[in-house]
Amino acid sequence: MIPHPGGGHDRGPVPTAGDADSPRPTARAHLPRRPPAFTARAAPVPAGDAVLRRPVRTASSDPVRTASSDPVRTELSDPDATLGRTMNVSTNVPPSGPAEPLAQRLAELRGPAPQRTLNARSLAALAANPGCHRRAVLDAAGVDKSVLAARLGRPAPFGQSPFAIARGVIFESRLKADGYAPLLEPLRRHLGVPADGHVPLQVPDLLQRSGPAVRADRTIEALGRAAADPEAWTLLDHPMLRLDVAGSTAYLEPDALVVHGGRCTVVEIKSFPVLDGSADPAKVGAAARQAAVYVLALQHAAAAAAGQPLADDPYTEQRLPGSPRTSVLLVCPKDFGNRPTAVAVDVRRELATTRRQLTRMTGIDRLLGALPPGADFDLAADEDGAPARSTEELAASVEAVPAAYSPDCLSACELGFHCRAEARCGDRVEQLGRGVRGELGSIRTVAGALAAASGGAAGTACGTGAARDTRTDDPDSPHSPDDPDDPDDPDDPDDPDDADDADDAAERLAYAAALRAEALGIRA
């Protein structure tokens, strides 16, 4: 049994072939075609639609017919099919029509550099630290944080291993070879997919070469048609989902969806092995948090299609047409081979956490309004090949957006080492972790904490002064200055309650130091 994902700590990005921001080589085109054990058949569509030449597979005993003998028809009209074949972009901006003011502003911040789209892994990391305005702005603008960290002189020493990515692509291509026969084996055991000769498995064309907006519309259409027939079994291969994050649209791409009985189940394919029935808890936890983002996007889509609001309780499972189950299917290699095995993982706790954290995020438009004039994150080069922005200009733009650093950022964010250097230069207590930061209250610097522990008063003033340097303009942020004339402002230096809080924090810190000294047997 795989350990529950909540107990593991995500030590870094888990490379997989299911990321929307990495190119997906179509390995099926390079694999030999053999008669499948279980075959798929595309759903019939009205005559007159666009025709794409592909192999047709049936569940009957007839041999498999090739594309030259029987074409498969898409469920879109000719103009839509032409649009899907000609567009191959990856952007959060709608593919047609004028750009919205928010999207235009984000494009200006990014500059002409290629855009990095949000995916489930980046959203899971963003939800784990919703108070970090810096990451929220950079992710919404599509800035490549790895390149930005390198330009700032503190590149992240981690990343997606090309060997792990290649292993994931090979494993996924093997699962989907021969009419998805290897993948259907664990799906039969866990989801009850019928065996040969029964109800055929429908695999609609989702226009993989189209832009994200077209693919998302196509996925919603295919999901609605599949959910309308409770007796049918439908497999959506690499669907595209939408999710609104702080006013910005993110496009997410799960590995697969299985639709039956009016509901759908998220299928996540990972390349890390399951050894003797157990897997790495950290990797399982990262996969569960990633799958929870997909479930949340499907819940929003099902509620919008039904014209109903999303349930207030995140643990309440709305049984709407096309709504997802809160138990996802994780497919991994078994032991040291490539034979797939699957296990159901309950992601209700991860779903509730992700939903709560995303709702706490400040709107992107408010964060952009607080940026100084001329701030941008242009990483492109000019005509001579020199960077358009100097390192000093980029550093000033980055520092203009407040960050919420913690040691966990080192394994989840490419700018973690840059933010750690900022915390160390400012002597801030954030470098010691969220637990210490919460216990120290109004004391904001390490020197102030040490002075308070020794009974000095200078550390308290230093701590409150540092607090005024690290606060933001967001009233929802724990570092917000709000109104300087507000008598209820907890960070007002003239407020007597502020001194009481600092004295209380100093007293508790001194008491904790005394207990530690007593436990270690230290005599005064």
Side-chain angles (χ1 to χ4, degrees):
M1 180 65 66
I2 291 184
H4 193 277
H9 173 64
D10 189 2
R11 301 181 185 274
V14 183
T16 176
D19 290 342
D21 57 344
S22 60
R24 295 187 177 277
T26 307
R28 286 176 290 175
H30 305 285
L31 296 176
R33 294 285 186 183
R34 296 191 298 271
F38 184 88
T39 55
R41 181 179 64 191
V45 296
D49 289 350
V51 177
L52 299 180
R53 298 289 179 176
R54 294 178 56 192
V56 176
R57 309 176 181 91
T58 61
S60 61
S61 58
D62 298 335
V64 178
R65 290 173 290 181
T66 61
S68 60
S69 60
D70 195 357
V72 174
R73 299 180 181 272
T74 65
E75 299 182 7
L76 297 179
S77 60
D78 289 331
D80 292 334
T82 303
L83 177 65
R85 288 194 298 269
T86 56
M87 291 188 57
N88 189 13
V89 297
S90 179
T91 175
N92 290 344
V93 182
S96 60
E100 298 179 357
L102 177 59
Q104 181 66 27
R105 176 67 175 123
L106 293 175
E108 293 174 356
L109 285 178
R110 183 178 65 255
Q115 181 180 6
R116 299 278 293 186
T117 57
L118 285 170
N119 55 21
R121 180 180 290 112
S122 60
L123 282 180
L126 187 59
N129 192 7
C132 185
H133 296 172
R134 180 174 299 174
R135 172 153 193 165
V137 171
L138 293 176
D139 284 347
V143 179
D144 192 338
K145 295 189 295 296
S146 299
V147 178
L148 181 59
R151 289 284 306 275
L152 295 176
R154 294 182 176 87
F158 62 86
Q160 291 184 330
S161 169
F163 302 102
I165 294 176
R167 183 173 64 250
V169 171
I170 293 175
F171 178 66
E172 183 176 352
S173 63
R174 289 180 177 178
L175 289 181
K176 298 179 180 180
D178 299 334
Y180 302 90
L183 180 60
L184 290 175
E185 180 181 351
L187 294 184
R188 290 193 186 102
R189 293 196 301 266
H190 292 272
L191 301 180
V193 176
D196 304 342
H198 294 77
V199 180
L201 181 68
Q202 308 290 337
V203 184
D205 183 19
L206 299 182
L207 302 177
Q208 301 293 341
R209 294 185 178 182
S210 304
V214 176
R215 293 179 58 190
D217 293 337
R218 172 62 173 159
T219 298
I220 295 300
E221 178 186 355
L223 181 60
R225 294 192 178 186
D229 187 0
E231 300 298 330
W233 287 87
T234 305
L235 176 66
L236 302 183
D237 187 2
H238 285 296
M240 185 67 72
L241 308 173
R242 286 191 185 95
L243 183 62
D244 183 78
V245 180
S248 179
T249 301
Y251 291 95
L252 313 172
E253 186 177 2
D255 292 329
L257 292 178
V258 177
V259 187
H260 178 68
R263 306 285 301 282
C264 64
T265 302
V266 175
V267 178
E268 266 300 288
I269 301 175
K270 297 297 182 181
S271 59
F272 58 84
V274 176
L275 305 176
D276 295 332
S278 62
D280 187 352
K283 294 182 178 180
V284 175
R289 289 188 292 271
Q290 180 178 344
V293 178
Y294 299 141
V295 173
L296 180 60
L298 288 168
Q299 286 182 344
H300 280 281
Q308 299 183 13
L310 197 64
D312 295 333
D313 185 8
Y315 290 95
T316 300
E317 189 171 352
Q318 290 180 290
R319 299 182 178 274
L320 301 174
S323 61
R325 296 177 176 88
T326 55
S327 180
V328 303
L329 197 63
L330 190 61
V331 181
C332 302
K334 183 178 181 180
D335 297 331
F336 297 99
N338 284 322
R339 184 176 180 181
T341 184
V343 64
V345 179
D346 190 353
V347 296
R348 285 180 296 179
R349 183 166 61 181
E350 289 76 14
L351 176 63
T353 301
T354 302
R355 179 177 170 182
R356 181 179 66 254
Q357 299 289 63
L358 290 181
T359 54
R360 291 176 54 194
M361 290 182 57
T362 307
I364 296 298
D365 52 350
R366 294 177 57 189
L367 298 181
L368 297 181
L371 291 179
D376 60 36
F377 311 100
D378 188 0
L379 301 176
D382 56 16
E383 298 178 355
D384 299 332
R389 293 290 182 182
S390 64
T391 302
E392 292 76 13
E393 292 174 335
L394 287 177
S397 298
V398 170
E399 293 173 0
V401 187
Y405 171 76
S406 71
D408 298 340
C409 298
L410 297 177
S411 61
C413 181
E414 294 85 347
L415 287 177
F417 290 86
H418 177 78
C419 297
R420 182 182 66 175
E422 282 186 349
R424 288 178 174 178
C425 292
D427 197 32
R428 297 199 295 265
V429 296
E430 284 84 352
Q431 59 182 307
L432 304 178
R434 292 191 179 95
V436 177
R437 169 67 182 85
E439 289 292 335
L440 292 179
S442 60
I443 300 178
R444 303 295 173 84
T445 63
V446 176
L450 295 177
S454 60
T460 302
C462 180
T464 55
R468 291 192 295 272
D469 294 337
T470 58
R471 290 175 296 172
T472 70
D473 293 331
D474 179 18
D476 297 331
S477 173
H479 309 291
S480 172
D482 293 331
D483 187 359
D485 299 329
D486 186 2
D488 297 330
D489 186 1
D491 294 326
D492 188 357
D494 298 329
D495 191 352
D497 293 337
D498 185 65
D500 295 339
D501 294 340
D503 294 340
D504 181 65
E507 182 179 353
R508 288 187 285 114
L509 186 62
Y511 180 68
L515 289 179
R516 181 177 181 274
E518 181 180 354
L520 296 177
I522 301 177
R523 302 301 181 192

